[in-house]
Amino acid sequence: PMGLLSPQDEATLKQHLSPITLPVELVLFTQAFGGSESGDVAKQIANEIASLNDKVTVVEKSFVLDTEDKAAYKVHKAPAIVILSDGVDTRMRMYGAPTGYEFVGLVEAIIVAGTGRIDLDPETMGWIQAVDKPTHIQVFSTPT
């Protein structure tokens, strides 16, 4: 591990990731030249999470060179993390460096992808299942 987390936090995160049974791939798109340092931070975070569970792997892609993958996953900015569950695109994406509250969101997305379980209230699941046309949901947050 790269030491972004304290040993206690690392142990807690490892425990949190322990229910994962399905392989999870984090497809990381970064831009080496002309990109921001947030790509390096996203890479560090993805690699640290992957180091804590052998079912989680990181696959690095170039935002500039890997145009087919970029198009296939509909990635439109870098850094981006595409989350695959057992080789299947979950359609969950994280853009930017997943720090602060975004870190929790990334971990929860990995757990959903790795367990196949979504921990939502039945009423909320009912609303989601009632959506009958393509819907694009984005959550924006500002680091503080």
Side-chain angles (χ1 to χ4, degrees):
M2 278 127 265
L4 293 172
L5 300 171
S6 71
Q8 296 88 341
D9 288 343
E10 213 171 78
T12 302
L13 181 55
K14 188 173 185 140
Q15 179 64 35
H16 205 58
L17 296 169
S18 65
I20 291 175
T21 57
L22 301 166
V24 177
E25 238 175 69
L26 305 177
V27 183
L28 173 66
F29 287 86
T30 57
Q31 188 171 338
F33 299 102
S36 68
E37 69 275 357
S38 61
D40 292 335
V41 175
K43 179 179 173 178
Q44 267 190 300
I45 291 169
N47 284 326
E48 182 140 8
I49 292 170
S51 77
L52 298 175
N53 187 296
D54 62 2
K55 294 268 189 208
V56 181
T57 56
V58 178
V59 177
E60 291 185 50
K61 299 283 182 181
S62 164
F63 183 75
V64 176
L65 303 176
D66 293 314
T67 54
E68 284 183 26
D69 291 311
K70 189 168 84 170
Y73 293 122
K74 296 179 174 68
V75 169
H76 49 84
K77 49 187 170 267
I81 299 172
V82 174
I83 302 167
L84 307 182
S85 172
D86 203 10
V88 177
D89 188 354
T90 64
R91 299 186 327 227
M92 291 187 281
R93 307 282 186 272
M94 297 289 292
Y95 289 102
T99 58
Y101 291 121
E102 293 82 26
F103 179 79
V104 175
L106 175 60
V107 170
E108 293 305 317
I110 290 168
I111 292 169
V112 166
T115 62
R117 290 194 310 270
I118 300 172
D119 186 23
L120 290 174
D121 185 79
E123 186 179 9
T124 304
M125 281 304 292
W127 291 335
I128 292 169
Q129 289 164 339
V131 175
D132 59 357
K133 58 182 179 284
T135 305
H136 184 85
I137 300 171
Q138 299 182 79
V139 178
F140 295 89
S141 58
T142 304
T144 55

